[in-house]
Amino acid sequence: MSAQTEATRQDLAGVDTVTQAGTTPDTEQPWGALGLKVDEYANIKEILGRRPTSAELAMYSVMWSEHCSYKSSKVHFSLWGENTTDAMREKLLVGIGENAGVVDIGDGWAVTFKIESHNHPSYVEPHQGAATGVGGIVRDIMSMGARPIAVMDALRFGNLRHPDTLRVLPGIVAGVGGYGNCLGLPNIGGEVVFDDCYQGNPLVNALCVGAMRIEDIHLASARGVGNKVVLFGAKTGGDGIGGVSVLASETFSATGGGPTKRPAVQVGDPFAEKVLIECCLDLYAAHVVAGIQDLGGAGLSCATSELASNGDGGMAVELDLVPLRDASLRPEEILMSESQERMMAIVEPAKLEAFLAITTRWDVEATVIGEVTDGEHLVITWHGETIVDVPPRSVAHDGPVYDRPLGRPAYLDGLVADTTADLERPVTGEELRATLLTMLASPNLCDTSWVTDQYDRYVMGNTALAMPDDAGVVRVDEETGRGVAISTDCNGRFAKLDPYTGAQAALAEAYRNVSTAGAAPLAVTDCLNFGSPEDPGVMWQFRESIRGIAEGCKTLGIPVTGGNVSFYNQTGDVAIHPTPVIGVLGVMEDVSVRTPSGFSVDGSRLYLLGDTRDELDGSEWAHVAHGHLGGVPPVVDLEHEMRLSAVLQQGAREGWFDAAHDLSEGGLAQVLAEAVLRNGIGARVGLERLVLKGVDPFTALFSESTGRVLVAVTPGSEDEFLAAVPDSVSVTELGLTDTDVDGLVVVAGPDASFGIDHATLRRTHKATLPGIFGP
């Protein structure tokens, strides 16, 4: 017997074929260990008319997981369609259901963007979990035919001083920075939030944006009988097996379930992905790709079933042709592996030679592993033996759908009644000064440059704004300067108090942030992070959040283009705050006409746009000063946000603004401190006009009322600016930037005035994270 024949014989030993499955119905299978429920396993047998093979069971287990199938959430997705008007669809080129949404930004340019979670892997193995989260979202953007042009990250951790945060945070930050930096993609913004509710369940939400000409959009479908199925990129290894079914679709145990799941975490190679990006772009330019899909969650199971399901026929795949890093992998392991830096393309036979010439030039391994057939099934063989024979749609799209019970959580009754009205508040100037400094040093308001300095935000040379500005701005068209602004936002405390209003507050803040840069908001992506869907209270929070986003987007006239749902973010029975992270993308005709958030011109007049109310429930002040969470979140007025956005866009175009900064966590006090610190330009601020409106100095400084922006109007532009602001947007003059002022001076009457010099502001703001993690 030849060595090759003996190797094949050993490969087939114990392989579960379709024929065997049809004759051995009573064979016990580990469906429970793979995350399937008893009724789901029964459903698979009904679909196939027999028991599944071990390879088929592996495919159904990963594709029917919560992470891939959205089986607990998809029943609520009708809210997107119900609230998307024809006018909202005008700029929407590709919507929900593809790898990423695509919008028309003008001049023949299209932009694709999406945010996704990599939460559970990042707790188990922080560096690789976060790194492969970046890699995965970048490949989603690549698969649409676009060049990735920027990334962002929205991170949430537990208590800053908890030992496990000291383990998790440095690794996650290094993973995000290391992978993105090696790809040569600027990281232009995001969030870093600390709250005890994320202890044991950190959130790593990664966003990527890419640009292409409209005619270059690609979709994930396998069409054309005889077209070849080409797997290209990295070899398949044993990493990430069961990542979506076992790791991302279950809760961690209260005793610490993370380390036992380590084999499920993927391992990334950013340099291989960088080569893959350039290779894909050359393939697109040569017009040799008929369909394409990245291999992320569920690996080959996902790529083969989704491409076949979206096509017009069947697909035949020879699994033994898949290049392997580990020759000992069994067929079901190959199908489940989530090894990174892999893509699958559908290629016409006449274009195959040209396709392979390009992959060879880039030294990217490419292998024909199958072809599109005129059948209706996805058929996968292993050394000639059929191990998978399934209707592809049953794997990719027709999985179980659960309309889980909803119930308003009982905790809300007591929480909503427990307002901040009776909490002790600072009154004197000295007390207000001390409060501002305490807030400025607190985990969620302190300087985050310890984190963001690990990211390259200017690589590629197209970044116009980046953190700590309100929005990231990146140029798309070098010739005209056309570009996009992006912001991600969410206040989980607001969503805990009222998920509908909290979700709309996140939407409004992200919308406002891109507006402060001068962009016209155009589209939304979301990453919905929640606890267990098996808890009726969590499902109620989820439904209310979706309803808030969908109805809010309809009011604002911008569509949801896609996103991600991440359930099971809890340890034992303790869930995170509902955290619907919202990403808003806006368009700028010329990114050179953008508004930063820090003061840079002496003598600019400061105005507060919007109304300040006694809205401190769920605020950062309540959290920091009193450890308090209760009451109701601030009122959200989306019609007002639209009027405010129009003023901010016009101000940027006309050059009225030296700076614009949205008011959110920490209120006006935080914005003033950040603005004077940015470029060392001092400011003298008077609160008298707010006091005359019935707003006391403390509320004026620390309220978190929505719909407010501080603008610094350049000298000589005041009259033109004031004439343009509609009567429906309140304007309050606050003071002036002044290079003769050292830091910030706040005037609020004889008993409530105070000043803080630049050195004290800077030292206080910058010391917190280096004090924990080192310089």
Side-chain angles (χ1 to χ4, degrees):
M1 182 182 293
S2 69
Q4 183 176 1
T5 303
E6 173 60 18
T8 301
R9 187 190 68 77
Q10 292 177 357
D11 282 337
L12 289 172
V15 172
D16 192 15
T17 67
V18 168
T19 299
Q20 290 172 334
T23 58
T24 55
D26 297 326
T27 298
E28 291 189 12
Q29 295 186 283
W31 49 268
L34 292 173
L36 290 167
K37 310 299 184 187
V38 61
D39 57 328
E40 294 173 346
Y41 180 64
N43 190 17
I44 294 169
K45 292 194 292 184
E46 182 178 352
I47 290 169
L48 299 177
R50 55 174 169 78
R51 74 163 176 86
T53 66
S54 56
E56 290 168 336
L57 185 66
M59 292 186 72
Y60 279 106
S61 74
V62 290
M63 292 302 293
W64 283 16
S65 68
E66 190 70 62
H67 184 81
C68 287
S69 73
Y70 296 104
K71 57 189 176 185
S72 297
S73 56
K74 67 171 65 174
V75 70
H76 303 292
F77 288 174
S78 61
L79 287 169
W80 303 135
E82 293 169 8
N83 288 279
T84 302
T85 65
D86 290 342
M88 293 163 66
R89 293 187 179 96
E90 287 182 2
K91 297 291 186 180
L92 184 58
L93 301 174
V94 177
I96 296 172
E98 284 289 340
N99 286 309
V102 183
V103 290
D104 182 349
I105 67 165
D107 291 341
W109 285 98
V111 164
T112 176
F113 76 124
K114 186 182 182 184
I115 186 169
E116 281 202 341
S117 64
H118 226 226
N119 302 337
H120 294 76
S122 299
Y123 174 67
V124 175
E125 172 45 64
H127 188 283
Q128 289 296 347
T132 53
V134 174
I137 194 62
V138 168
R139 288 194 304 279
D140 276 341
I141 296 307
M142 288 163 50
S143 68
M144 300 307 299
R147 172 180 286 281
I149 58 173
V151 294
M152 301 179 77
D153 59 279
L155 309 178
R156 281 160 176 78
F157 303 98
N159 190 292
L160 175 59
R161 291 171 175 81
H162 192 285
D164 201 50
T165 303
L166 302 184
R167 173 186 74 89
V168 170
L169 185 146
I172 287 175
V173 171
V176 169
Y179 204 100
N181 292 349
C182 291
L183 289 182
L185 290 176
N187 189 316
I188 59 173
E191 305 163 88
V192 181
V193 176
F194 298 91
D195 193 290
D196 289 359
C197 76
Y198 303 112
Q199 203 68 59
N201 286 277
L203 304 185
V204 176
N205 294 177
L207 181 148
C208 184
V209 58
M212 72 199 102
R213 302 298 292 177
I214 289 176
E215 61 270 19
D216 293 333
I217 295 173
H218 284 70
L219 301 177
S221 65
R223 298 181 180 275
V225 174
N227 283 350
K228 302 302 180 182
V229 178
V230 185
L231 179 65
F232 64 108
K235 286 183 168 67
T236 298
D239 54 314
I241 292 176
V244 297
S245 58
V246 178
L247 183 59
S249 299
E250 294 182 359
T251 63
F252 289 131
S253 70
T255 56
T260 65
K261 299 172 181 286
R262 186 173 299 277
V265 178
Q266 308 92 328
V267 177
D269 181 350
F271 297 108
E273 180 130 331
K274 174 60 177 172
V275 173
L276 195 58
I277 291 172
E278 301 304 328
C279 179
C280 282
L281 291 169
D282 271 5
L283 292 169
Y284 299 147
H287 304 291
V288 295
V289 175
I292 193 163
Q293 173 73 296
D294 74 299
L295 275 73
L300 279 162
S301 294
C302 177
T304 55
S305 63
E306 288 195 351
L307 281 167
S309 179
N310 293 336
D312 55 6
M315 182 187 289
V317 171
E318 297 179 64
L319 196 64
D320 49 285
L321 298 180
V322 172
L324 301 177
R325 292 202 312 265
D326 180 355
S328 70
L329 291 178
R330 296 182 56 79
E332 54 268 31
E333 293 175 316
I334 297 171
L335 287 167
M336 295 174 75
S337 170
E338 295 178 11
S339 292
Q340 299 292 286
E341 293 85 42
R342 298 180 297 163
M343 304 285 285
M344 182 174 284
I346 306 300
V347 183
E348 296 175 14
K351 297 181 178 180
L352 181 61
E353 184 177 352
F355 183 102
L356 296 177
I358 291 171
T359 57
T360 298
R361 185 168 73 245
W362 283 102
D363 197 23
V364 170
E365 186 166 3
T367 305
V368 177
I369 65 169
E371 66 178 29
V372 179
T373 69
D374 59 0
E376 297 180 349
H377 279 208
L378 169 62
V379 178
I380 300 177
T381 60
W382 180 255
H383 295 288
E385 295 288 339
T386 301
I387 60 172
V388 171
D389 188 349
V390 298
R393 188 165 185 86
S394 73
V395 179
H397 295 109
D398 292 341
V401 178
Y402 294 138
D403 192 355
R404 295 190 182 275
L406 309 175
R408 183 178 182 273
Y411 75 78
L412 281 173
D413 294 332
L415 204 62
V416 170
D418 183 18
T419 73
T420 55
D422 295 329
L423 298 181
E424 184 178 356
R425 303 182 178 195
V427 175
T428 68
E430 188 57 36
E431 290 171 342
L432 292 169
R433 181 182 188 277
T435 300
L436 193 160
L437 290 174
T438 298
M439 298 286 288
L440 199 60
S442 64
N444 291 334
L445 300 180
C446 70
D447 177 76
T448 59
S449 59
W450 187 92
V451 171
T452 58
D453 283 354
Q454 297 186 49
Y455 309 151
D456 190 333
R457 63 197 95 163
Y458 298 111
V459 63
M460 294 179 70
N462 287 317
T463 302
L465 288 179
M467 70 284 281
D469 287 300
D470 285 350
V473 175
V474 62
R475 183 185 299 106
V476 170
D477 185 353
E478 295 186 12
E479 185 173 326
T480 66
R482 180 174 292 273
V484 293
I486 315 164
S487 176
T488 66
D489 288 287
C490 180
N491 187 320
R493 293 189 304 278
F494 290 167
K496 176 80 171 182
L497 298 175
D498 182 341
Y500 178 92
T501 301
Q504 289 203 338
L507 172 64
E509 185 178 352
Y511 182 96
R512 192 182 321 122
N513 279 335
V514 300
S515 300
T516 62
L522 183 66
V524 169
T525 183
D526 56 48
C527 194
L528 309 176
N529 306 274
F530 289 80
S532 171
E534 298 165 43
D535 181 338
V538 168
M539 285 308 301
W540 180 85
Q541 293 172 333
F542 179 79
R543 170 75 178 190
E544 286 296 287
S545 294
I546 283 194
R547 189 169 67 89
I549 298 166
E551 293 178 5
C553 284
K554 184 176 183 179
T555 299
L556 295 173
I558 56 175
V560 174
T561 63
N564 175 238
V565 175
S566 176
F567 277 134
Y568 293 104
N569 292 289
Q570 67 182 60
T571 300
D573 60 355
V574 180
I576 64 168
H577 294 336
T579 311
V581 174
I582 306 296
V584 171
L585 178 141
V587 180
M588 305 184 72
E589 293 185 3
D590 183 355
V591 299
S592 68
V593 182
R594 79 279 191 185
T595 308
S597 61
F599 303 149
S600 62
V601 175
D602 183 36
S604 292
R605 198 166 295 277
L606 304 179
Y607 296 93
L608 177 63
L609 299 175
D611 293 315
T612 301
R613 295 174 289 270
D614 189 343
E615 293 180 307
L616 289 134
D617 294 350
S619 69
E620 200 63 34
W621 168 78
H623 177 62
V624 172
H626 295 280
H628 180 274
L629 178 61
V632 295
V635 173
V636 178
D637 183 345
L638 296 175
E639 297 284 355
H640 166 75
E641 296 285 358
M642 295 171 69
R643 295 188 293 268
L644 183 61
S645 176
V647 172
L648 295 168
Q649 291 176 56
Q650 184 180 3
R653 289 193 305 270
E654 301 293 341
W656 296 335
F657 301 146
D658 168 48
H661 200 326
D662 121 278
L663 274 64
S664 54
E665 287 87 350
L668 176 63
Q670 182 71 18
V671 165
L672 289 168
E674 290 177 353
V676 301
L677 282 173
R678 185 68 181 275
N679 299 303
I681 304 292
R684 185 179 301 275
V685 174
L687 303 181
E688 299 94 334
R689 289 180 174 83
L690 286 173
V691 171
L692 289 173
K693 293 181 179 182
V695 181
D696 65 86
F698 164 75
T699 302
L701 289 170
F702 297 104
S703 168
E704 295 185 8
S705 294
T706 65
R708 297 183 300 157
V709 173
L710 178 72
V711 294
V713 179
T714 54
S717 299
E718 299 91 344
D719 291 344
E720 193 176 356
F721 160 70
L722 291 170
V725 179
D727 293 339
S728 54
V729 176
S730 67
V731 182
T732 305
E733 184 177 345
L734 294 181
L736 290 168
T737 60
D738 189 343
T739 54
D740 291 332
V741 172
D742 183 6
L744 175 65
V745 171
V746 176
V747 179
D751 299 324
S753 299
F754 63 92
I756 310 177
D757 61 83
H758 270 114
T760 301
L761 287 170
R762 184 171 291 106
R763 182 174 61 251
T764 303
H765 193 42
K766 287 185 170 292
T768 304
L769 294 187
I772 299 291
F773 301 106

